[in-house]
Amino acid sequence: MTREIFPPNPNFSQEARVNSMDAYWRLQNQALEDYEGFWRGFADEKIEWLSPYEKVLDESKAPFYEWFTKGQLNVSNQCIDRHLATQADKTAILFEGDRGEVEHISYAQLSQRVNQMANLLKEELGVAKGDRVVLYMPMIPESAYAMLACARIGAIHSIVFGGFSAEALRDRIEDAGAKVVITADGAYRKGKPYMLKSVVDNALESGSTAVSSVLVVKRNHEEINWVEGRDKCYNDLIAHHSTVCPFEPMESEDPLFLLYTSGSTGKPKGVQHTTAGYILWAQMSMEWVFDVKGDDLFWCTADIGWITGHTYIIYGPLAAGTTTVMFEGVPTYPDAGRAWKMVEEHKITQFYTAPTAIRVLHKMGEDEPSKYDLSSLKVLGTVGEPIDPPAWKWYYESVGGSHCAIVDTWWQTETGGHMISPLPGATPIKPACATFPLPGIMAEVIDSDGTPKAVGETGLLCITKPWPSMIRTIWGDPERYTKAYFSDATKAGRPVYFSGDGAVRDEAGYITITGRVDDVINVSGHRMGTAEIEAVVNEDDSVAEVAVVARPHEIKGESIFIYIVLKEGHINTDIKNHINALLAQEIGNIAKADHIIEVPGLPKTRSGKIMRRILRSIAKHEEITQDISTLEDPSIVKRIETTAREA
Ligand code: WTA
């Protein structure tokens, strides 16, 4: 597809906060000329400070940057209380259950429930400021109450996606040193109950966690195991707690939450976000990128277990005072028209989802959008992986009726919010292109030695100035933080944040993301490290060597491809099921591989380094163009190719 350009819809631009590229450049130039002044202006306008900050940006401990030092605020005030005077009755959360029931939760009701939950956590479970609380929750309003209740009392939440296994959950509980786990008996998916509490039980059964209580929300009322003394029933206790709980004044740099994510090495890392910078950018990016206002109804289909759910289901929309939709189910149940039916019924104005979901909905129900009135939609968004032009086109034409801007938002768990994205009222859009950095964000495509790449050349995508919502550290491992994100900084001659993604800029300055340049795999928008998967496979007694690579996948974007060398004398006839069961147990179903093949050896250099590039080519059935003469055993390549073809 040629790079056609789609100018913003003029009707939309008229009302938009940023309504032209001139307006965009005015903002960006303001940031370039006076970076701190730019951020000071927005921090003063957007945040309700309980006491003023001293410095906008403290770079003295770089790359451990501090923003709005010593200022005081509270995120639950920012998201709830400060809206009560003007919009107590406005719907804050519109919840739709898997089976179709709808609940409108007003800002006033949200306030009451969050206050009650905050009191429950403090009084019943002894949670205090700075304590870590792990959430292992379905997509129900109580998850939002729990997040905001933690923020209210200064506890640090760490949400673990409900698809992770007991082992993965335990690792995260232990690493965070959590005192309390909040979970649910389970919830509903595709019309049937599924369970979560049993996973928490298994996670806490062994190991050495500091967990003293488990708060259980009863959602599907299925039978569950109950540990007397440890387990507490939310439904029984909540009514006994007052709807008034004064919020804790928090400092700007106090941690707000941890969220574990995968890197190219080692175990998942606890990305630590802080209070002021995070909430400021959550709100600003919400306002700029989705341009929410008035009675808009914003629906982000992510799970709260991922960063997208944190920033664009809960914190961003509520800080911006908008109505956020929370959906328990899946968009393909009862049929592939479910999402569009919801858009029609609720008159959703902004819809934000992942390319994988768009590809599934396209494949399963190409004509479904035409059966519904989708005219309420104004902005469509995508996130999490590169979107391919055919999916983009269907989304634009069939879902957006060729009148909605598509904002292809590039960002990461570590960035806290959008970094590169079109602005719907300003940016002429090129399909499947993240376009320009948002105002205040300084992105560059550079070489590994720090020199900027020429137009049209793929390089490393970096952010060259600290920004308010950036990761502050990796929980308990500051060295890893420096190493993972800033280790090439010295090469660049300045502290530069390395994203791990590749990108290319065209002559007009448009940035297109080309995908990860490190050993991170992106399956349906879920990040997984090859090292993490290899470590699990290596635990198996029969495995001598393993290498994991990504293979392009029509729907999932990428899938996992595993090469295994068995130990001498070991025969495994059912290696695929065996290894996948292990991966499901140790990480979760999302880590299951599509391909697992047994090979006689791996392509290695004489110094023993595995040549993953060759393995990636073989997985794709590509011709090997790399020089293989330097391999320890060049003949291995042919033998692996033969096995891969037969598999
Ligand atoms: C990828 C999700 C292409 C990228 C918010 C990044 C994208 C990783 C896009 C972060 C996009 C995210 N186009 N690729 N618009 N958005 N990615 O931490 O590889 O779960 O590094 O955060 O997703 O994934 P994470």
Side-chain angles (χ1 to χ4, degrees), residues 445-447 451-460 502-506 514:
V445 180
I446 65 178
D447 222 327
T451 31
K453 279 281 187 189
V455 164
E457 274 182 34
T458 302
L460 307 169
V504 57
R505 216 189 260 262
D506 71 12
T514 55

Side-chain angles (χ1 to χ4, degrees), residues 307 383-386 408-413 501 516 522 527:
I307 191 68
V383 57
E385 30 168 347
D408 182 346
T409 62
W410 176 83
W411 60 295
Q412 310 178 296
T413 303
D501 278 298
R516 299 289 304 197
N522 192 333
R527 264 168 81 166

Side-chain angles (χ1 to χ4, degrees), residues 507-629:
E507 64 292 339
Y510 282 75
I511 298 174
T512 299
I513 313 298
T514 55
R516 299 289 304 197
V517 294
D518 55 7
D519 291 320
V520 169
I521 301 185
N522 192 333
V523 182
S524 303
H526 304 325
R527 264 168 81 166
M528 271 170 291
T530 52
E532 194 185 335
I533 300 169
E534 285 169 4
V536 170
V537 179
N538 257 324
E539 279 174 28
D540 189 82
D541 276 346
S542 66
V543 172
E545 283 185 297
V546 54
V548 174
V549 298
R551 179 180 205 258
H553 187 279
E554 198 194 341
I555 299 287
K556 296 190 271 193
E558 288 184 342
S559 65
I560 300 171
F561 195 114
I562 307 184
Y563 296 90
I564 289 177
V565 182
L566 289 181
K567 282 183 186 154
E568 283 266 324
H570 280 268
I571 303 169
N572 202 328
T573 46
D574 194 16
I575 190 110
K576 185 167 177 193
N577 286 327
H578 177 70
I579 294 295
N580 269 339
L582 192 62
L583 286 167
Q585 181 193 320
E586 298 286 318
I587 301 176
N589 282 331
I590 57 170
K592 282 187 182 170
D594 279 14
H595 299 270
I596 300 180
I597 64 168
E598 191 202 324
V599 289
L602 296 173
K604 286 189 198 156
T605 60
R606 290 197 186 98
S607 59
K609 190 172 176 280
I610 298 172
M611 296 289 286
R612 285 167 194 282
R613 227 152 32 103
I614 295 178
L615 293 174
R616 276 194 284 268
S617 297
I618 297 175
K620 285 190 224 169
H621 296 304
E622 260 175 18
E623 208 185 314
I624 309 289
T625 52
Q626 296 95 324
D627 175 17
I628 59 168
S629 64

Side-chain angles (χ1 to χ4, degrees), residues 12 15-18 45-46 82-83 87 90-92 107 280-300 311-325 347-352 376-381 407 418 422-425:
F12 185 86
E15 310 279 322
R17 286 187 178 83
V18 186
E45 180 194 329
K46 307 282 177 194
R82 74 185 177 104
H83 299 311
Q87 51 175 52
K90 177 174 177 170
T91 302
Y107 273 90
L280 175 64
W281 191 238
Q283 184 178 334
M284 286 174 68
S285 56
M286 189 71 208
E287 291 174 348
W288 275 341
V289 174
F290 299 114
D291 206 41
V292 286
K293 46 171 69 109
D295 292 329
D296 279 358
L297 215 71
F298 175 81
W299 182 17
C300 165
T311 309
Y312 299 109
I313 297 179
I314 307 298
Y315 291 117
L318 297 176
T322 199
T323 301
T324 184
V325 175
K347 298 198 171 27
I348 284 161
T349 44
Q350 289 90 351
F351 179 72
Y352 189 33
S376 57
L377 288 171
K378 297 191 285 191
V379 180
L380 300 174
V407 290
H418 303 145
L423 295 174

Side-chain angles (χ1 to χ4, degrees), residues 299 337-351 366-380 394-404:
W299 182 17
R338 177 68 180 269
W340 318 132
K341 183 165 180 273
M342 283 176 65
V343 168
E344 175 181 280
E345 276 177 10
H346 304 305
K347 298 198 171 27
I348 284 161
T349 44
Q350 289 90 351
F351 179 72
E366 184 161 5
D367 300 325
E368 286 295 327
S370 66
K371 298 181 190 162
Y372 300 91
D373 176 5
L374 306 182
S375 60
S376 57
L377 288 171
K378 297 191 285 191
V379 180
L380 300 174
W394 180 75
Y395 199 31
Y396 183 76
E397 290 171 357
S398 300
V399 179
S402 302
H403 67 85
C404 297

Side-chain angles (χ1 to χ4, degrees), residues 47 116 148 231 294 380 391 397:
I47 290 186
Q116 281 183 306
L148 292 157
D231 296 350
L380 300 174
E397 290 171 357

